[in-house]
Amino acid sequence: MIEFLSKKLEWLDVEYWFTVFNDWSLIYLIIPFFIIELIRYKFQGRLNKDLIFDSVANVLTFGAFYVIEIIIGILFATKLYFWVYANFSLPHLPLNWATVICCVLLADFAYYWEHRMMHRIGIGWATHTVHHSSPHFNMSVAYRFGPLDAVFPLFFSIPIVMLGFDPILVLLSELFVQSFQAILHTEVIKKLPGPIEFIFNTPSHHRVHHGSNRQYWDKNYAGILIIWDRMLGTFEPEVEEVKYGISEPINSNNPFTVFFHGLQRLSLKMTRVKGIFNKILVFIKPPDWRPK
Amino acid sequence: MKSLKLISLSAIIILILGGIPHLIAYGDLTDNVINTEGDIIEEVSSSDTVEVLKVEQSSPYAPLLGKWKVSWDSEEIKGSAIYQIKEVGETIKGFSVKLFDEHEQSMNDNTHVFTLKSFKDKKGKGIYKLDYEGEGYEIPCKIELITPNQLKVSYDYYGYADTEIWNRVK
């Protein structure tokens, strides 16, 4: 076992397999699955204009998110990663199975906390509400992102770099977690066998996460492993039928409205709240926080 | 769940997942003591934890010994250096003895840049020490004696790959 875990890996091989899982999955998994979902919608009589426009808005928000991510990456993030790696990191880890597996698990754990923070902090929810604002649940919703969604992961991945993991490996692991998450956005798959549902995040668990039913709020933050939620007290099984969306629906498929509605609502809340201290608290307190 | 419990649990998870690869890397390094057929012993250097090669008096590594010149002409570095590979005690090490800038201005040097790990049938492995943006890296490399006067040194470190040709200096 130790021999396997310490087996040296070639960087090119690692990069290749991450590319297969992260980038190509859009071609061999996500798009074919989305087509199946559309056929299913058609048979169920649910394929309508709203669903089509919602899906188009989802893809457009992804485009905007991607541009922001690239700009942040080029201007700031990659430089910060490598600077931290060079100056504030534990001894750099060799590239072997143990490093890759632990990096993916740490990225998954970081995702759990990043995701939880985005639900429980005002500014986090202002951007993440975009992802939850769709009243539908399909593969395209996985690509519905908010304007600051590329910023928050930085705070949680930098500590992984400080542990001695190569920044590129950390980045690839984060993308792997995101890619795994994408395939969970479906109603087609019901419940999977017990052991899988116990250990892994599944479409069922993630449907709960997207539910606007009160008992489903702020549950199942996991990326790959649902055991993080079980351990940290945020797990909720899918029992009642899920109603997707947010408590105050946006009722719009305008991509601009979809993309910016969270920030708009946050700034509106800030203008309404009295006192500088309370305005700051709107940023960092949970989204349902109101001053006394 | 109480914050203290959340923090403790999270700290334990991070400690385990962050610690395992370090433990394995450390164990891999210290366990790497290999006895081969009499004349090659790999062990861990106590000073810098680099695996080094011990050699007997009748060295089969003579083709590698001597001075070699390597030149660079890239955006990051322009110039050249003369390396001297020699036996140091029971190990084969390379030292940078002279550095040249792009205008052929030279200065003497005495920096340990290379340690041989293995060498057989004109091919071998070693550790190449490089500086990049002020930080020293110990990079596993492969060597190949193309001709008695040309040594190919190639490495691929986390996606940064290069091949250098070292030419023998008489």
Side-chain angles (χ1 to χ4, degrees), chain B:
Chain B
M1 196 177 280
K2 284 186 178 173
S3 299
L4 186 64
K5 195 176 173 188
L6 282 178
I7 292 167
S8 309
L9 263 172
S10 300
I12 290 167
I13 291 166
I14 292 166
L15 205 66
I16 292 170
L17 294 177
I20 286 172
H22 279 285
L23 279 175
I24 287 175
Y26 179 76
D28 193 37
L29 204 65
T30 51
D31 287 349
N32 206 348
V33 180
I34 303 165
N35 280 300
T36 60
E37 293 171 8
D39 60 350
I40 300 173
I41 300 167
E42 289 188 2
E43 66 172 23
V44 177
S45 158
S46 58
S47 59
D48 55 8
T49 66
V50 172
E51 295 162 336
V52 295
L53 180 74
K54 290 190 170 185
V55 200
E56 285 189 342
Q57 291 299 314
S58 55
S59 171
Y61 312 103
L64 297 175
L65 304 180
K67 289 184 177 175
W68 301 86
K69 185 167 186 179
V70 55
S71 301
W72 303 281
D73 187 18
S74 66
E75 281 183 15
E76 293 85 20
I77 183 168
K78 290 184 194 297
S80 55
I82 291 179
Y83 292 161
Q84 184 171 17
I85 297 180
K86 56 186 180 183
E87 293 184 22
V88 180
E90 295 179 315
T91 65
I92 300 287
K93 287 185 176 179
F95 294 84
S96 156
V97 292
K98 206 158 207 173
L99 300 173
F100 299 86
D101 66 17
E102 55 190 300
H103 309 295
E104 286 296 302
Q105 298 290 317
S106 68
M107 61 180 283
N108 291 331
D109 190 26
N110 184 27
T111 308
H112 176 204
V113 293
F114 174 76
T115 306
L116 189 69
K117 287 174 68 182
S118 64
F119 186 70
K120 195 178 179 185
D121 296 335
K122 297 182 180 177
K123 289 184 179 176
K125 290 179 180 176
I127 299 290
Y128 196 10
K129 296 186 173 188
L130 291 175
D131 281 335
Y132 181 70
E133 293 191 347
E135 189 178 354
Y137 291 88
E138 294 178 350
I139 300 173
C141 64
K142 290 177 182 173
I143 60 169
E144 183 182 354
L145 199 63
I146 306 169
T147 70
N149 294 321
Q150 277 198 320
L151 184 66
K152 187 168 86 173
V153 180
S154 53
Y155 47 87
D156 185 349
Y157 191 68
Y158 286 31
Y160 180 71
D162 204 356
T163 297
E164 295 176 358
I165 300 295
W166 296 8
N167 293 298
R168 188 178 286 283
V169 181
K170 298 282 182 183

Side-chain angles (χ1 to χ4, degrees), chain A residues 191-220:
Chain A
K191 288 208 175 184
L192 294 169
I196 296 175
E197 292 280 336
F198 187 80
I199 296 168
F200 291 98
N201 197 7
T202 62
S204 169
H205 297 325
H206 204 58
R207 282 193 290 272
V208 165
H209 178 70
H210 275 258
S212 60
N213 319 41
R214 187 63 190 87
Q215 73 273 27
Y216 292 159
W217 286 14
D218 300 328
K219 300 291 180 187
N220 300 2

Side-chain angles (χ1 to χ4, degrees), chain A residues 122-270:
Chain A
I123 182 68
W125 182 245
T127 180
H128 190 57
T129 180
V130 175
H131 181 67
H132 283 268
S133 59
S134 172
H136 307 285
F137 194 69
N138 54 51
M139 289 284 167
S140 76
V141 176
Y143 294 87
R144 187 176 174 115
F145 285 104
L148 301 178
D149 282 5
V151 177
F152 285 90
L154 279 176
F155 300 106
F156 294 85
S157 49
I158 290 290
I160 305 178
V161 174
M162 291 169 78
L163 288 171
F165 292 89
D166 185 279
I168 300 295
L169 183 63
V170 174
L171 194 68
L172 291 172
S173 301
E174 284 183 318
L175 285 173
F176 181 70
V177 177
Q178 284 284 356
S179 302
F180 184 92
Q181 263 272 328
I183 59 173
L184 303 177
H185 292 79
T186 183
E187 293 176 296
V188 174
I189 297 170
K190 298 302 174 190
K191 288 208 175 184
L192 294 169
I196 296 175
E197 292 280 336
F198 187 80
I199 296 168
F200 291 98
N201 197 7
T202 62
S204 169
H205 297 325
H206 204 58
R207 282 193 290 272
V208 165
H209 178 70
H210 275 258
S212 60
N213 319 41
R214 187 63 190 87
Q215 73 273 27
Y216 292 159
W217 286 14
D218 300 328
K219 300 291 180 187
N220 300 2
Y221 296 113
I224 297 175
L225 298 176
I226 199 69
I227 53 172
W228 304 137
D229 282 287
R230 292 185 191 276
M231 289 167 78
L232 301 171
T234 49
F235 176 71
E236 185 70 29
E238 185 183 26
V239 179
E240 189 179 292
E241 189 185 351
V242 179
K243 290 177 190 131
Y244 303 107
I246 49 180
S247 55
E248 296 172 49
I250 53 172
N251 299 318
S252 171
N253 287 322
N254 181 327
F256 287 98
T257 308
V258 170
F259 198 59
F260 291 110
H261 81 270
L263 289 177
Q264 188 201 9
R265 286 179 177 183
L266 183 78
S267 52
L268 199 66
K269 187 175 173 183
M270 282 182 70

Side-chain angles (χ1 to χ4, degrees), chain A residues 1-35:
Chain A
M1 184 66 174
I2 296 290
E3 203 172 303
F4 167 76
L5 290 173
S6 62
K7 188 183 167 192
K8 296 270 187 296
L9 298 173
E10 294 293 328
W11 182 251
L12 280 177
D13 293 335
V14 173
E15 213 166 21
Y16 171 78
W17 285 110
F18 271 116
T19 306
V20 169
F21 291 124
N22 295 349
D23 302 351
W24 297 355
S25 63
L26 182 71
I27 307 297
Y28 66 74
L29 205 61
I30 304 293
I31 291 175
F33 218 98
F34 184 54
I35 292 168

